[in-house]
Structures are given as C-alpha cells and as structure tokens.
Amino acid sequence: MISETNLNKKPNYLNPYFGGVLLGLTLLAVFFVAGRGLSASGVIKLAIVTITDFISPAYTESNNYMNKLVPDDGSTPMFSWLVFSAIGTFFGGLISGAVYGRLGKLRIEHSPKISSKTRLFAAGIGGILFGIGSQFGRGCSSGAALSGTAAFSFGGLMVLMLMFGTGYVVAYFFRKLWI
Amino acid sequence: MNRNYIYLSILILILSAGVFFLPERDNNQQISPEELMLQIMQPTHYISTDAVAEMIIEKDPTLELIDVRPIDEYNEFSLQNAYNLPLDSIMAEGYQDYLGIEDLNAVFYSNDDIKADQAWVIAKRLGYNSIYVMKGGLNCWIRTIIQPERPEETASSEDFELYNFRRGASQYFSGIEIEIASDDSKSGVNVVRKKKKVVAEGGC
Amino acid sequence: MGPLIPQGIITGQWDFVIALLIGFAFGFILEASGFSSSRNIAGVFYGYNFVVLRVFFTALIVAMVGLLYFDYFGWINLDLVYILPTYIHSMLLGGVLMGFGFVIGGFCPGTSFTAIAIGKLDGIVFILGFFVGIAIFSFGFPLYEDFFTAGDMGNITIGEILGLSNQIVTLGVVLVALVAFWGTWLIEKRVRKTINPFKF
C-alpha cells in the first residue's frame, strides 16, 4: 500500500487516498467514541489559559473568553481530552517519522529561492494569522474544516471553503515562498 | 491510470448513493417497554419533599424544579424558582428546553403524584435522563414542610431531628422567622439554564 | 449505542487513554501521508502536489458516509454528536485569516505537531506563531466580544440551511470530491512533466 520509492529520492509516503481512508476511519472512531471531532490545537489555547491563570487568576476570570475554559473546581484546564490527543498526535508523528526514516536533526525545509530566515519568518507570520483565524473560526483545519464538515456543520463547510478559497486567491502573491 | 482508482470512485459513489435505497428502519432511540417498566417499578425516581427542601435551602445548583400543573395553578402558588411545564404542553415546541440540560436534575411535581408521574413517564419515553418526581407532590409538601406535625414524645430522636429540620424549613419558606437564611430576600436556586451542548467548544 | 463518552458508556480516566490513542493515529496518518512537509502542503495551491486535497477530501467523504451508515444502523446517535456552531461573521473572518496563514505558513496546527516530531524547525516556529496568535486573540477578546458572537446561527447543519437531507449533502460532497480527485490528477499531470503516479 505504500507508494513506490523511486530514484529521485522521493520520500516514502502513504498513498494519499489510503491515508485519507485511514484518516476518515479515525475521524469516524472519534465521533463514535467521543461524539466530537478531531482537534489539533485546542491544546495551545488551553496552554495559554493555564499560563495566564497561573500568573493572574483575576485576569482570566475577567476575560470572558478565558474564564469559560478554567474549570470551576479549581483543577487545571490541561487535564483535558484536547491535551491528551495532542500529545498522541506528536508521538504518532514521531513514530511514523521513525518507521519511514524521516526522523532527523533540526532542519528547515524551504524553497530554494528563499533563505532559511525568510522561511522561518513566513512560518511565524503564518502561525500568528492561523492562530487568530482559528479562534474566530471556532477551530482550525482539523477541528472546524474537517471534523465540522464531516458532522454536517454549516460553519465547518464555510471555514473549509473560505480557507482553501482564500488560499487559492492569494497563493499567487506568495508563490516565491514555495516555487 | 490505475484501474483501482476507478473501482474506488465507483465504490464510494455506490456507498453514498446507497443510503437512499436502504429500507426504512425504525431507529427507535426510545427506552424499551421492558426497561421503562423496570424503571417505573423502582422507587429511585422518587425524591422526598425533605430532600427537595434541603436542596432549595442549600441552593443546590443542580436542582431544577418543574411544575407540571396548569399555568393558573402555577401562578397561584409554586415552589421557589420552579419552571412551569404544564403536562398537556410537554410535547409543544420549546417546552422541552427545560429537560435534558447537562448536570441538572429535573424534579417534577404537581399537587399529588399522578400528574408528575405521568410527566416523568413521558419524559422518560422521550429519552431524557436525570429526571425525578417529588413524592407526594405539593400536598405532601404542605403537610411535611410548611406545617410539620410534632412527633409523639415517644418518637425516636431521628424523628425529632427531622421535625426540627422541617420547622426550620417551614420558617425558611414561609418567612415567618428568619433565622436560618440571612440573605433570604434574594434566596434563589442559581439554576443555570440553557446549558445544553457545552462540549468545551471543540477544535483548535 | 454511540457516541460512547457523552452517553457515559466510557467513564473515568479511560477517555484520556482513548484520546491518546486517537491522537496517535491522527499524528501517524498525517505524518505518513506527507503532511509533515510544508512544501507538500503548500503544493495544493500551486498545482504541483495535491496530497492535501486528496487526503482531506477522502477523509471527509469516508467519515460522512460512515456517519450516515452508523446512524442508519443505530450505532451512533447523531443528536449527540457535536455540531460545530455557526457564527457567520467571525467565521468568515476566521476562514480568510486561516487561508492566509495556510499559504504563508505552510502548515496547519495538526500538521505542524508532526513536523516538529520529525525535527522541522519551521514547524516549531509556526507553532510559536500560532501560540502568539491565540494569545493576541485571547487578550484582545474584550475588543471584539460582540463581533465574536454576532450572527449566531446555533448548531446548524448544511442540510438545514439548504433544506436538504444529510444524505443528499453527503452525495453532493462525494461528487465534488470525485471531480476534484480526477481534475487535480489531470492538472498534476500537466504541471509536473515527469509524473510518478501513486500505485497500490
């Protein structure tokens, strides 16, 4: 089921459709077990709340966005489904990287036309935009676009179409980053 | 092109179109008659007037009182912070919002047990859980909480304890002598309504 | 029967073990499909690599069709499945911002975890940026609190908006996905002169 490696040093990836079926079944499993979709990055949100709550509980209480995420019984927000699944995601990637021989020392992957610095800068900016966007969108590509749409949510489909739509519209202006 | 892709495309098309041709299936999520029978027979869905009074006084946030009597009777007299859900409108749009709220225990009451029991059975059939009936209804409430009877002198000490509690509760509810609840003026059960579907908003 | 946790069939700490396992599967599949490389991901916007589109849409249609059958056989109660609520205004903004973030950053959060796992520095920077982004949002929340909750449509489904059943919506998505699969295959054949089709 693994695509054949060729002499151009093409990495050893799963057939994308096979990977897609596996991902779909995983999604189905999480719906069956938890009644909600996959989520990658709620953990970051919870981390921010936890840190803020540690420094200034009064502030988290006054912030209407954060106070919903702090449990009333005084336990830590980090003891949550989102956190454990994110830890799992990390180790899943780690094992897959080990199995397919992609583990390596710290490295930066970028288009030959840009420097490593440019790539890191772009990654940071992209991360910030994605971070803000994911909160307005009630979830990222896995939480809103994939899981949301799979559960027939209208908002999920909207985020999915807007995300890819915007991507295609603005792709031209950022082509130097990639090709 | 690999022929497998064509087969796969056809497979997913057949699967997704196939749902239209499936025979009707009675996907009854309701409780089965046997199970319902069993639950009706069990006295655990009853909750005593004393327990309700205690929860009201302690401002238990999980308590949700539901008055199933007609609205005019409800307006005349009802327990603190009770919602009115007349038995005949239990099926009506919007009324079921009171039921099935996470972390809330709905307690039905009427003048006696009968209507509350009926509401309980209907709600159970509709698939709601965490629902209870206040045993004896308001008649029992008046008899035990508002006008408690002094037990015989020979009664056990538990009976006297209960009596003392009821007397305190009576004062609390009728407001004759305020000694238990100092903030009596705005004593209310802090019922958080509409807490439906708070699944710690998913996603990122 | 399902979903298990909302119905209290699985309780206690077991749900965290399951979360760990499901997260593991998620990460493994993402990495194994090539999502740990930002150039693979961004390729979808430039026509040289459609792996994102293929994995994403395949997963979507498998899950959607699967949910329909689970529902039909009574294995899952769709009423208990979390339907992402729709807030028109803020989701419009969020989608557009994520589109920009996607093209510029080349990752989405889930994929950047796997990128970090195999040692990509750009993945780490992306997550740091993501962290900063959410922090900016959280601390500035009072400024746009009203905007954030404006246009609340509740847990509305696609079918309810369009007046169609879930079955028709699923069929529509399947058709769109199939057209996209075959269409992108043709595009890819043209963009990459030397194409190595994936084989079974």
Side-chain angles (χ1 to χ4, degrees):
Chain A
M1 283 297 202
I2 292 160
S3 62
E4 58 179 27
T5 35
N6 62 26
L7 299 173
N8 309 334
K9 282 195 184 156
K10 197 165 169 237
N12 211 351
Y13 290 134
L14 287 183
N15 179 307
Y17 299 106
F18 179 62
V21 170
L22 287 184
L23 188 57
L25 294 177
T26 311
L27 190 55
L28 207 50
V30 70
F31 276 129
F32 179 68
V33 174
R36 49 187 291 185
L38 290 165
S39 137
S41 46
V43 59
I44 306 284
K45 182 167 77 179
L46 290 179
I48 288 173
V49 172
T50 310
I51 294 170
T52 320
D53 197 42
F54 180 72
I55 298 170
S56 165
Y59 179 77
T60 32
E61 194 49 47
S62 70
N63 185 312
N64 281 338
Y65 191 64
M66 297 196 191
N67 59 19
K68 284 186 209 119
L69 299 167
V70 182
D72 295 329
D73 54 4
S75 58
T76 166
M78 294 306 273
F79 204 65
S80 134
W81 171 280
L82 297 172
V83 177
F84 282 84
S85 68
I87 295 170
T89 306
F90 179 83
F91 282 102
L94 192 71
I95 299 297
S96 165
V99 168
Y100 295 105
R102 282 191 287 273
L103 277 188
K105 58 173 188 258
L106 284 181
R107 60 197 187 276
I108 301 166
E109 184 197 26
H110 58 85
S111 158
K113 287 185 192 150
I114 57 170
S115 66
S116 295
K117 251 186 202 153
T118 318
R119 167 66 191 131
L120 288 186
F121 184 70
I125 297 291
I128 293 176
L129 288 173
F130 218 112
I132 301 174
S134 71
Q135 300 311 297
F136 277 115
R138 263 78 174 174
C140 63
S141 33
S142 51
L146 181 59
S147 310
T149 314
F152 312 104
S153 157
F154 177 70
L157 184 68
M158 212 169 81
V159 169
L160 166 64
M161 295 203 295
L162 279 167
M163 202 167 80
F164 280 102
T166 312
Y168 278 107
V169 170
V170 300
Y172 178 80
F173 304 105
F174 300 106
R175 64 189 182 283
K176 290 250 173 60
L177 291 174
W178 303 108
I179 51 176
Chain B
M1 192 66 207
N2 197 318
R3 196 171 286 171
N4 283 338
Y5 286 125
I6 300 174
Y7 294 148
L8 279 175
S9 301
I10 293 171
L11 177 71
I12 190 79
L13 262 181
I14 291 175
L15 278 175
S16 59
V19 289
F20 294 103
F21 302 107
L22 292 172
E24 279 289 321
R25 203 183 128 103
D26 188 21
N27 248 345
N28 216 336
Q29 297 287 347
Q30 287 167 340
I31 186 167
S32 68
E34 293 82 9
E35 179 75 6
L36 186 64
M37 177 74 188
L38 199 73
Q39 296 212 16
I40 291 176
M41 298 305 281
Q42 278 177 351
T44 50
H45 73 274
Y46 285 116
I47 188 162
S48 73
T49 49
D50 294 310
V52 171
E54 197 175 339
M55 281 195 273
I56 295 179
I57 292 171
E58 286 177 355
K59 302 186 172 51
D60 190 328
T62 62
L63 176 70
E64 186 195 28
L65 283 166
I66 294 177
D67 192 326
V68 298
R69 298 171 308 156
I71 187 150
D72 44 325
E73 288 183 42
Y74 169 79
N75 287 334
E76 217 165 276
F77 173 76
S78 68
L79 297 183
Q80 266 180 29
N81 289 59
Y83 297 114
N84 187 218
L85 174 59
L87 186 57
D88 47 8
S89 52
I90 194 166
M91 295 296 200
E93 186 74 20
Y95 279 95
Q96 286 179 23
D97 290 356
Y98 294 126
L99 302 173
I101 304 172
E102 214 180 339
D103 299 332
L104 286 192
N105 297 317
V107 178
F108 294 108
Y109 72 85
S110 57
N111 284 329
D112 46 30
D113 276 348
I114 297 172
K115 276 186 177 168
D117 258 339
Q118 288 168 347
W120 185 87
V121 171
I122 294 170
K124 203 77 198 174
R125 278 285 281 168
L126 288 169
Y128 293 104
N129 285 313
S130 301
I131 49 176
Y132 301 90
V133 169
M134 186 169 87
K135 181 79 182 155
L138 285 178
N139 291 336
C140 182
W141 175 269
I142 303 283
R143 214 166 47 241
T144 56
I145 305 295
I146 305 299
Q147 296 158 350
E149 239 173 71
R150 193 178 169 79
E152 304 281 321
E153 288 303 324
T154 51
S156 67
S157 60
E158 281 98 27
D159 282 351
F160 273 99
E161 242 168 63
L162 183 64
Y163 174 68
N164 283 335
F165 165 75
R166 285 175 173 177
R167 239 178 31 149
S170 167
Q171 282 160 1
Y172 175 87
F173 288 108
S174 47
I176 302 167
E177 227 178 294
I178 300 156
E179 57 181 42
I180 305 167
S182 48
D183 57 341
D184 176 82
S185 55
K186 51 179 173 5
S187 65
V189 184
N190 187 19
V191 176
V192 189
R193 277 195 57 202
K194 280 282 184 187
K195 223 183 153 189
K196 240 174 179 179
K197 288 192 176 165
V198 212
V199 206
E201 282 197 14
C204 299
Chain C
M1 188 166 167
L4 302 181
I5 291 173
Q7 304 217 68
I9 296 172
I10 295 178
T11 50
Q13 310 307 326
W14 280 105
D15 50 347
F16 292 133
V17 177
I18 293 164
L20 212 57
L21 290 176
I22 284 183
F24 184 87
F26 185 44
F28 191 97
I29 296 162
L30 287 183
E31 210 290 326
S33 307
F35 281 8
S36 55
S37 156
S38 56
R39 295 196 74 200
N40 277 350
I41 296 176
V44 73
F45 295 117
Y46 301 98
Y48 65 82
N49 190 334
F50 286 103
V51 62
V52 171
L53 185 137
R54 287 178 181 138
V55 174
F56 194 96
F57 272 98
T58 312
L60 187 62
I61 57 179
V62 167
M64 280 177 117
V65 172
L67 272 184
L68 286 185
Y69 279 92
F70 270 47
D71 182 40
Y72 177 78
F73 290 112
W75 296 336
I76 196 166
N77 182 357
L78 278 188
D79 294 337
L80 292 177
V81 170
Y82 177 73
I83 295 174
L84 191 78
T86 302
Y87 299 84
I88 289 284
H89 301 84
S90 88
M91 277 177 147
L92 278 172
L93 179 66
V96 170
L97 282 177
M98 281 194 271
F100 272 95
F102 212 169
V103 173
I104 300 173
F107 282 121
C108 66
T111 60
S112 68
F113 287 154
T114 61
I116 295 171
I118 64 161
K120 293 272 176 71
L121 206 55
D122 40 345
I124 297 179
V125 175
F126 182 88
I127 273 296
L128 287 178
F130 191 74
F131 187 92
V132 172
I134 298 184
I136 292 173
F137 174 88
S138 304
F139 293 123
F141 185 69
L143 297 176
Y144 31 74
E145 194 169 345
D146 291 336
F147 175 77
F148 185 71
T149 48
D152 181 5
M153 302 177 71
N155 307 71
I156 196 164
T157 64
I158 306 164
E160 282 164 5
I161 292 250
L162 302 176
L164 302 170
S165 69
N166 283 343
Q167 282 84 346
I168 296 180
V169 171
T170 306
L171 185 61
V173 174
V174 168
L175 288 176
V176 169
L178 287 180
V179 169
F181 294 155
W182 291 97
T184 52
W185 182 72
L186 294 175
I187 296 173
E188 200 176 51
K189 217 163 63 165
R190 198 170 295 174
V191 172
R192 284 186 185 178
K193 297 287 182 280
T194 53
I195 188 161
N196 300 291
F198 287 105
K199 286 197 179 135
F200 278 91

